[in-house]
PDB file of all heavy atoms in Angstrom:
ATOM      1  N   PRO A   1       0.791  -1.220   0.000  1.00  0.00           N
ATOM      2  CA  PRO A   1       0.001   0.002   0.001  1.00  0.00           C
ATOM      3  C   PRO A   1       0.831   1.268   0.002  1.00  0.00           C
ATOM      4  O   PRO A   1       0.419   2.279  -0.567  1.00  0.00           O
ATOM      5  CB  PRO A   1      -0.832  -0.124   1.283  1.00  0.00           C
ATOM      6  CG  PRO A   1      -0.119  -1.129   2.126  1.00  0.00           C
ATOM      7  CD  PRO A   1       0.537  -2.078   1.171  1.00  0.00           C
ATOM      8  N   GLU A   2       2.008   1.255   0.637  1.00  0.00           N
ATOM      9  CA  GLU A   2       2.786   2.482   0.708  1.00  0.00           C
ATOM     10  C   GLU A   2       3.363   2.901  -0.652  1.00  0.00           C
ATOM     11  O   GLU A   2       3.846   4.010  -0.808  1.00  0.00           O
ATOM     12  CB  GLU A   2       3.922   2.375   1.730  1.00  0.00           C
ATOM     13  CG  GLU A   2       4.831   1.187   1.545  1.00  0.00           C
ATOM     14  CD  GLU A   2       4.430   0.045   2.433  1.00  0.00           C
ATOM     15  OE1 GLU A   2       3.235  -0.272   2.500  1.00  0.00           O
ATOM     16  OE2 GLU A   2       5.324  -0.536   3.066  1.00  0.00           O
ATOM     17  N   LEU A   3       3.328   1.985  -1.645  1.00  0.00           N
ATOM     18  CA  LEU A   3       3.835   2.334  -2.974  1.00  0.00           C
ATOM     19  C   LEU A   3       2.709   2.671  -3.948  1.00  0.00           C
ATOM     20  O   LEU A   3       2.969   2.993  -5.095  1.00  0.00           O
ATOM     21  CB  LEU A   3       4.660   1.190  -3.543  1.00  0.00           C
ATOM     22  CG  LEU A   3       5.965   0.872  -2.806  1.00  0.00           C
ATOM     23  CD1 LEU A   3       6.698  -0.264  -3.493  1.00  0.00           C
ATOM     24  CD2 LEU A   3       6.863   2.084  -2.729  1.00  0.00           C
ATOM     25  N   ALA A   4       1.484   2.590  -3.462  1.00  0.00           N
ATOM     26  CA  ALA A   4       0.356   2.824  -4.372  1.00  0.00           C
ATOM     27  C   ALA A   4       0.345   4.243  -4.915  1.00  0.00           C
ATOM     28  O   ALA A   4      -0.132   4.484  -6.030  1.00  0.00           O
ATOM     29  CB  ALA A   4      -0.955   2.534  -3.640  1.00  0.00           C
ATOM     30  N   GLU A   5       0.865   5.198  -4.114  1.00  0.00           N
ATOM     31  CA  GLU A   5       0.808   6.592  -4.544  1.00  0.00           C
ATOM     32  C   GLU A   5       2.095   7.052  -5.218  1.00  0.00           C
ATOM     33  O   GLU A   5       2.233   8.214  -5.583  1.00  0.00           O
ATOM     34  CB  GLU A   5       0.522   7.487  -3.336  1.00  0.00           C
ATOM     35  CG  GLU A   5      -0.799   7.146  -2.638  1.00  0.00           C
ATOM     36  CD  GLU A   5      -1.010   7.987  -1.397  1.00  0.00           C
ATOM     37  OE1 GLU A   5      -0.189   8.879  -1.147  1.00  0.00           O
ATOM     38  OE2 GLU A   5      -2.003   7.764  -0.691  1.00  0.00           O
ATOM     39  N   VAL A   6       3.070   6.157  -5.358  1.00  0.00           N
ATOM     40  CA  VAL A   6       4.337   6.545  -5.974  1.00  0.00           C
ATOM     41  C   VAL A   6       4.156   6.657  -7.487  1.00  0.00           C
ATOM     42  O   VAL A   6       3.722   5.695  -8.138  1.00  0.00           O
ATOM     43  CB  VAL A   6       5.439   5.511  -5.656  1.00  0.00           C
ATOM     44  CG1 VAL A   6       6.734   5.898  -6.353  1.00  0.00           C
ATOM     45  CG2 VAL A   6       5.646   5.444  -4.152  1.00  0.00           C
ATOM     46  N   PRO A   7       4.462   7.831  -8.071  1.00  0.00           N
ATOM     47  CA  PRO A   7       4.274   7.994  -9.519  1.00  0.00           C
ATOM     48  C   PRO A   7       5.344   7.242 -10.303  1.00  0.00           C
ATOM     49  O   PRO A   7       6.375   6.829  -9.770  1.00  0.00           O
ATOM     50  CB  PRO A   7       4.405   9.507  -9.715  1.00  0.00           C
ATOM     51  CG  PRO A   7       5.289   9.955  -8.591  1.00  0.00           C
ATOM     52  CD  PRO A   7       4.958   9.059  -7.429  1.00  0.00           C
ATOM     53  N   GLY A   8       5.078   7.044 -11.601  1.00  0.00           N
ATOM     54  CA  GLY A   8       6.066   6.421 -12.471  1.00  0.00           C
ATOM     55  C   GLY A   8       5.816   4.936 -12.646  1.00  0.00           C
ATOM     56  O   GLY A   8       4.979   4.334 -11.990  1.00  0.00           O
ATOM     57  N   ASP A   9       6.575   4.348 -13.563  1.00  0.00           N
ATOM     58  CA  ASP A   9       6.394   2.939 -13.884  1.00  0.00           C
ATOM     59  C   ASP A   9       7.700   2.166 -13.738  1.00  0.00           C
ATOM     60  O   ASP A   9       7.975   1.224 -14.462  1.00  0.00           O
ATOM     61  CB  ASP A   9       5.866   2.790 -15.319  1.00  0.00           C
ATOM     62  CG  ASP A   9       6.812   3.407 -16.345  1.00  0.00           C
ATOM     63  OD1 ASP A   9       7.729   4.140 -15.945  1.00  0.00           O
ATOM     64  OD2 ASP A   9       6.633   3.128 -17.540  1.00  0.00           O
ATOM     65  N   ALA A  10       8.523   2.588 -12.760  1.00  0.00           N
ATOM     66  CA  ALA A  10       9.842   1.961 -12.585  1.00  0.00           C
ATOM     67  C   ALA A  10       9.713   0.477 -12.281  1.00  0.00           C
ATOM     68  O   ALA A  10      10.407  -0.353 -12.896  1.00  0.00           O
ATOM     69  CB  ALA A  10      10.620   2.673 -11.471  1.00  0.00           C
ATOM     70  N   LEU A  11       8.832   0.098 -11.337  1.00  0.00           N
ATOM     71  CA  LEU A  11       8.717  -1.313 -10.972  1.00  0.00           C
ATOM     72  C   LEU A  11       8.228  -2.180 -12.130  1.00  0.00           C
ATOM     73  O   LEU A  11       8.828  -3.226 -12.408  1.00  0.00           O
ATOM     74  CB  LEU A  11       7.775  -1.466  -9.768  1.00  0.00           C
ATOM     75  CG  LEU A  11       8.439  -1.359  -8.393  1.00  0.00           C
ATOM     76  CD1 LEU A  11       7.400  -1.475  -7.292  1.00  0.00           C
ATOM     77  CD2 LEU A  11       9.493  -2.430  -8.207  1.00  0.00           C
ATOM     78  N   PRO A  12       7.163  -1.782 -12.852  1.00  0.00           N
ATOM     79  CA  PRO A  12       6.753  -2.600 -14.001  1.00  0.00           C
ATOM     80  C   PRO A  12       7.836  -2.752 -15.048  1.00  0.00           C
ATOM     81  O   PRO A  12       7.998  -3.821 -15.650  1.00  0.00           O
ATOM     82  CB  PRO A  12       5.537  -1.850 -14.562  1.00  0.00           C
ATOM     83  CG  PRO A  12       4.995  -1.089 -13.397  1.00  0.00           C
ATOM     84  CD  PRO A  12       6.187  -0.701 -12.579  1.00  0.00           C
ATOM     85  N   ARG A  13       8.636  -1.715 -15.241  1.00  0.00           N
ATOM     86  CA  ARG A  13       9.710  -1.798 -16.240  1.00  0.00           C
ATOM     87  C   ARG A  13      10.797  -2.749 -15.777  1.00  0.00           C
ATOM     88  O   ARG A  13      11.352  -3.505 -16.581  1.00  0.00           O
ATOM     89  CB  ARG A  13      10.286  -0.403 -16.506  1.00  0.00           C
ATOM     90  CG  ARG A  13       9.357   0.475 -17.360  1.00  0.00           C
ATOM     91  CD  ARG A  13      10.014   1.759 -17.833  1.00  0.00           C
ATOM     92  NE  ARG A  13      10.201   2.703 -16.740  1.00  0.00           N
ATOM     93  CZ  ARG A  13      11.359   2.994 -16.190  1.00  0.00           C
ATOM     94  NH1 ARG A  13      12.469   2.409 -16.606  1.00  0.00           N
ATOM     95  NH2 ARG A  13      11.433   3.888 -15.210  1.00  0.00           N
ATOM     96  N   VAL A  14      11.105  -2.727 -14.478  1.00  0.00           N
ATOM     97  CA  VAL A  14      12.113  -3.648 -13.945  1.00  0.00           C
ATOM     98  C   VAL A  14      11.634  -5.094 -14.073  1.00  0.00           C
ATOM     99  O   VAL A  14      12.390  -5.989 -14.456  1.00  0.00           O
ATOM    100  CB  VAL A  14      12.430  -3.315 -12.464  1.00  0.00           C
ATOM    101  CG1 VAL A  14      13.293  -4.407 -11.835  1.00  0.00           C
ATOM    102  CG2 VAL A  14      13.160  -1.972 -12.379  1.00  0.00           C
ATOM    103  N   VAL A  15      10.351  -5.334 -13.748  1.00  0.00           N
ATOM    104  CA  VAL A  15       9.782  -6.668 -13.864  1.00  0.00           C
ATOM    105  C   VAL A  15       9.848  -7.168 -15.309  1.00  0.00           C
ATOM    106  O   VAL A  15      10.257  -8.311 -15.581  1.00  0.00           O
ATOM    107  CB  VAL A  15       8.326  -6.693 -13.358  1.00  0.00           C
ATOM    108  CG1 VAL A  15       7.653  -8.024 -13.712  1.00  0.00           C
ATOM    109  CG2 VAL A  15       8.284  -6.475 -11.860  1.00  0.00           C
ATOM    110  N   ALA A  16       9.462  -6.303 -16.244  1.00  0.00           N
ATOM    111  CA  ALA A  16       9.480  -6.690 -17.656  1.00  0.00           C
ATOM    112  C   ALA A  16      10.905  -7.011 -18.126  1.00  0.00           C
ATOM    113  O   ALA A  16      11.138  -7.991 -18.838  1.00  0.00           O
ATOM    114  CB  ALA A  16       8.870  -5.580 -18.507  1.00  0.00           C
ATOM    115  N   LYS A  17      11.851  -6.195 -17.708  1.00  0.00           N
ATOM    116  CA  LYS A  17      13.246  -6.421 -18.108  1.00  0.00           C
ATOM    117  C   LYS A  17      13.775  -7.715 -17.519  1.00  0.00           C
ATOM    118  O   LYS A  17      14.480  -8.487 -18.200  1.00  0.00           O
ATOM    119  CB  LYS A  17      14.115  -5.240 -17.668  1.00  0.00           C
ATOM    120  CG  LYS A  17      15.572  -5.354 -18.095  1.00  0.00           C
ATOM    121  CD  LYS A  17      16.380  -4.138 -17.661  1.00  0.00           C
ATOM    122  CE  LYS A  17      15.995  -2.894 -18.447  1.00  0.00           C
ATOM    123  NZ  LYS A  17      16.896  -1.754 -18.178  1.00  0.00           N
ATOM    124  N   LEU A  18      13.447  -7.981 -16.254  1.00  0.00           N
ATOM    125  CA  LEU A  18      13.909  -9.200 -15.608  1.00  0.00           C
ATOM    126  C   LEU A  18      13.288 -10.426 -16.262  1.00  0.00           C
ATOM    127  O   LEU A  18      13.952 -11.450 -16.448  1.00  0.00           O
ATOM    128  CB  LEU A  18      13.579  -9.167 -14.111  1.00  0.00           C
ATOM    129  CG  LEU A  18      14.081 -10.335 -13.259  1.00  0.00           C
ATOM    130  CD1 LEU A  18      15.588 -10.498 -13.374  1.00  0.00           C
ATOM    131  CD2 LEU A  18      13.690 -10.128 -11.796  1.00  0.00           C
ATOM    132  N   GLU A  19      12.009 -10.341 -16.639  1.00  0.00           N
ATOM    133  CA  GLU A  19      11.353 -11.463 -17.318  1.00  0.00           C
ATOM    134  C   GLU A  19      12.023 -11.770 -18.650  1.00  0.00           C
ATOM    135  O   GLU A  19      12.234 -12.939 -19.007  1.00  0.00           O
ATOM    136  CB  GLU A  19       9.876 -11.144 -17.535  1.00  0.00           C
ATOM    137  CG  GLU A  19       9.034 -11.237 -16.274  1.00  0.00           C
ATOM    138  CD  GLU A  19       7.584 -10.863 -16.527  1.00  0.00           C
ATOM    139  OE1 GLU A  19       7.325 -10.162 -17.525  1.00  0.00           O
ATOM    140  OE2 GLU A  19       6.725 -11.260 -15.730  1.00  0.00           O
ATOM    141  N   ARG A  20      12.386 -10.713 -19.390  1.00  0.00           N
ATOM    142  CA  ARG A  20      13.071 -10.929 -20.675  1.00  0.00           C
ATOM    143  C   ARG A  20      14.439 -11.560 -20.466  1.00  0.00           C
ATOM    144  O   ARG A  20      14.849 -12.458 -21.206  1.00  0.00           O
ATOM    145  CB  ARG A  20      13.200  -9.607 -21.434  1.00  0.00           C
ATOM    146  CG  ARG A  20      11.891  -9.060 -21.980  1.00  0.00           C
ATOM    147  CD  ARG A  20      12.147  -7.962 -23.004  1.00  0.00           C
ATOM    148  NE  ARG A  20      12.893  -6.852 -22.437  1.00  0.00           N
ATOM    149  CZ  ARG A  20      12.333  -5.797 -21.862  1.00  0.00           C
ATOM    150  NH1 ARG A  20      10.996  -5.722 -21.763  1.00  0.00           N
ATOM    151  NH2 ARG A  20      13.049  -4.821 -21.367  1.00  0.00           N
ATOM    152  N   ALA A  21      15.166 -11.084 -19.462  1.00  0.00           N
ATOM    153  CA  ALA A  21      16.514 -11.583 -19.214  1.00  0.00           C
ATOM    154  C   ALA A  21      16.504 -13.010 -18.676  1.00  0.00           C
ATOM    155  O   ALA A  21      17.376 -13.816 -19.004  1.00  0.00           O
ATOM    156  CB  ALA A  21      17.244 -10.662 -18.242  1.00  0.00           C
ATOM    157  N   ALA A  22      15.510 -13.336 -17.841  1.00  0.00           N
ATOM    158  CA  ALA A  22      15.478 -14.644 -17.199  1.00  0.00           C
ATOM    159  C   ALA A  22      14.924 -15.736 -18.106  1.00  0.00           C
ATOM    160  O   ALA A  22      15.180 -16.913 -17.883  1.00  0.00           O
ATOM    161  CB  ALA A  22      14.652 -14.567 -15.915  1.00  0.00           C
ATOM    162  N   GLY A  23      14.139 -15.350 -19.099  1.00  0.00           N
ATOM    163  CA  GLY A  23      13.579 -16.351 -20.002  1.00  0.00           C
ATOM    164  C   GLY A  23      12.217 -16.836 -19.549  1.00  0.00           C
ATOM    165  O   GLY A  23      11.704 -16.465 -18.498  1.00  0.00           O
ATOM    166  N   GLU A  24      11.610 -17.684 -20.353  1.00  0.00           N
ATOM    167  CA  GLU A  24      10.237 -18.142 -20.120  1.00  0.00           C
ATOM    168  C   GLU A  24      10.111 -18.973 -18.847  1.00  0.00           C
ATOM    169  O   GLU A  24       9.078 -18.945 -18.182  1.00  0.00           O
ATOM    170  CB  GLU A  24       9.744 -18.931 -21.326  1.00  0.00           C
ATOM    171  CG  GLU A  24       9.619 -18.123 -22.597  1.00  0.00           C
ATOM    172  CD  GLU A  24       9.079 -18.960 -23.746  1.00  0.00           C
ATOM    173  OE1 GLU A  24       8.806 -20.151 -23.516  1.00  0.00           O
ATOM    174  OE2 GLU A  24       8.939 -18.414 -24.849  1.00  0.00           O
ATOM    175  N   GLY A  25      11.159 -19.739 -18.514  1.00  0.00           N
ATOM    176  CA  GLY A  25      11.077 -20.633 -17.353  1.00  0.00           C
ATOM    177  C   GLY A  25      10.774 -19.888 -16.070  1.00  0.00           C
ATOM    178  O   GLY A  25       9.837 -20.219 -15.334  1.00  0.00           O
ATOM    179  N   ALA A  26      11.566 -18.850 -15.794  1.00  0.00           N
ATOM    180  CA  ALA A  26      11.373 -18.088 -14.553  1.00  0.00           C
ATOM    181  C   ALA A  26      10.048 -17.338 -14.563  1.00  0.00           C
ATOM    182  O   ALA A  26       9.362 -17.257 -13.539  1.00  0.00           O
ATOM    183  CB  ALA A  26      12.533 -17.101 -14.355  1.00  0.00           C
ATOM    184  N   ALA A  27       9.690 -16.764 -15.712  1.00  0.00           N
ATOM    185  CA  ALA A  27       8.425 -16.025 -15.795  1.00  0.00           C
ATOM    186  C   ALA A  27       7.242 -16.941 -15.527  1.00  0.00           C
ATOM    187  O   ALA A  27       6.281 -16.572 -14.848  1.00  0.00           O
ATOM    188  CB  ALA A  27       8.299 -15.363 -17.158  1.00  0.00           C
ATOM    189  N   GLU A  28       7.322 -18.174 -16.055  1.00  0.00           N
ATOM    190  CA  GLU A  28       6.217 -19.120 -15.865  1.00  0.00           C
ATOM    191  C   GLU A  28       6.106 -19.557 -14.417  1.00  0.00           C
ATOM    192  O   GLU A  28       5.018 -19.611 -13.846  1.00  0.00           O
ATOM    193  CB  GLU A  28       6.426 -20.339 -16.761  1.00  0.00           C
ATOM    194  CG  GLU A  28       5.301 -21.366 -16.657  1.00  0.00           C
ATOM    195  CD  GLU A  28       5.533 -22.551 -17.587  1.00  0.00           C
ATOM    196  OE1 GLU A  28       6.465 -22.486 -18.407  1.00  0.00           O
ATOM    197  OE2 GLU A  28       4.762 -23.516 -17.476  1.00  0.00           O
ATOM    198  N   VAL A  29       7.256 -19.843 -13.782  1.00  0.00           N
ATOM    199  CA  VAL A  29       7.247 -20.278 -12.390  1.00  0.00           C
ATOM    200  C   VAL A  29       6.710 -19.172 -11.493  1.00  0.00           C
ATOM    201  O   VAL A  29       5.854 -19.380 -10.638  1.00  0.00           O
ATOM    202  CB  VAL A  29       8.664 -20.696 -11.942  1.00  0.00           C
ATOM    203  CG1 VAL A  29       8.702 -20.912 -10.423  1.00  0.00           C
ATOM    204  CG2 VAL A  29       9.095 -21.960 -12.658  1.00  0.00           C
ATOM    205  N   SER A  30       7.231 -17.944 -11.672  1.00  0.00           N
ATOM    206  CA  SER A  30       6.840 -16.841 -10.793  1.00  0.00           C
ATOM    207  C   SER A  30       5.392 -16.454 -10.981  1.00  0.00           C
ATOM    208  O   SER A  30       4.727 -16.006 -10.046  1.00  0.00           O
ATOM    209  CB  SER A  30       7.742 -15.631 -11.024  1.00  0.00           C
ATOM    210  OG  SER A  30       7.590 -15.135 -12.348  1.00  0.00           O
ATOM    211  N   SER A  31       4.849 -16.629 -12.184  1.00  0.00           N
ATOM    212  CA  SER A  31       3.457 -16.265 -12.425  1.00  0.00           C
ATOM    213  C   SER A  31       2.488 -17.206 -11.731  1.00  0.00           C
ATOM    214  O   SER A  31       1.306 -16.890 -11.556  1.00  0.00           O
ATOM    215  CB  SER A  31       3.172 -16.250 -13.931  1.00  0.00           C
ATOM    216  OG  SER A  31       3.283 -17.553 -14.472  1.00  0.00           O
TER     217      SER A  31
END
């Protein structure tokens, strides 16, 4: 909840970049 008001899309961009770097295996497991 404390991050709900933080502007910007830094976290989604980090998640997307990590998913691309880690490959389908990690993305599937974490999802």
